[in-house]
Amino acid sequence: MTLLTTLPVAGRAVTLRTAVRDDVPALVALLADDDLGRDRETTRAHGGELAPYLRAFDLLDADPGQLLVVAALDGEVVGTLQLSVIPGLSRGGALRAQLEAVRIAGGHRGTGLGTALIRWAVGEARRRGCALVQLTTDKRRTDAHRFYGRLGFRASHEGLKLDLRSVPG
């Protein structure tokens, strides 16, 4: 675990650090803490097993282009995000940062934690040499769209996905 920084949020100090394997249950709980994630991201959806999440954590942890961040308040995990640095040829060979799995615990939404976390991630992407920060959010998350818009993100592209688990090979 590496301490990344401390963010002042609503008069309190929120610690940002790299995630450790022991954080996985709390991170899965954050992913499941909304209407869209409730069925998709619970361990019940995987037979009660954390094994798929632990495998994913191990892959993320071993990849220097991935940063899985935990926001903790008084030792409790209250937020997370994944920052992926992606090299590419487009845009003059620019690096881009992809933000994934941005989540704030229900009881901490509206406190400024999400804003502080995203601003930190944008600064970290810049520090890592990225020319662009991108993210996707489900079309049904209209509050999230407004939130990201306030932070300067623009809906400039249409994202498409193909779920390989549901398409015959």
Side-chain angles (χ1 to χ4, degrees):
M1 165 178 38
T2 302
L3 176 64
L4 300 169
T5 193
T6 302
L7 300 174
V9 176
R12 300 177 75 186
V14 175
T15 301
L16 287 192
R17 60 173 175 78
T18 57
V20 296
R21 208 166 198 266
D22 286 345
D23 291 321
V24 170
L27 298 178
V28 172
L30 281 177
L31 293 172
D33 186 22
D34 69 25
D35 290 339
L36 298 179
R38 192 162 288 114
D39 292 325
R40 181 179 66 192
E41 299 294 353
T42 65
T43 55
R44 285 189 305 274
H46 300 283
E49 295 294 323
L50 280 175
Y53 297 99
L54 293 170
R55 279 193 299 277
F57 174 84
D58 291 341
L59 290 169
L60 288 166
D61 196 45
D63 185 338
Q66 305 295 326
L67 179 62
L68 186 58
V69 176
V70 166
L73 183 61
D74 299 326
E76 176 190 359
V77 175
V78 294
T80 187
L81 67 72
Q82 176 184 332
L83 187 151
S84 302
V85 175
I86 307 168
L89 293 178
S90 67
R91 297 180 183 260
L95 293 174
R96 65 182 63 214
Q98 174 79 26
L99 299 183
E100 290 286 336
V102 178
R103 297 292 192 282
I104 303 298
H108 295 274
R109 293 179 193 140
T111 65
L113 176 56
T115 297
L117 185 59
I118 295 298
R119 286 187 175 149
W120 176 86
V122 168
E124 181 64 14
R126 186 174 278 122
R127 188 187 74 72
R128 290 176 179 235
C130 295
L132 178 76
V133 177
Q134 62 190 29
L135 57 84
T136 60
T137 183
D138 193 285
K139 289 183 177 192
R140 294 169 287 181
R141 294 185 189 277
T142 55
D143 290 343
H145 301 169
R146 283 190 297 275
F147 168 74
Y148 291 120
R150 285 193 304 269
L151 293 173
F153 288 84
R154 298 291 167 249
S156 62
H157 292 69
E158 185 74 19
L160 305 171
K161 296 181 188 229
L162 176 63
D163 187 344
L164 297 178
R165 296 168 294 190
S166 64
V167 177

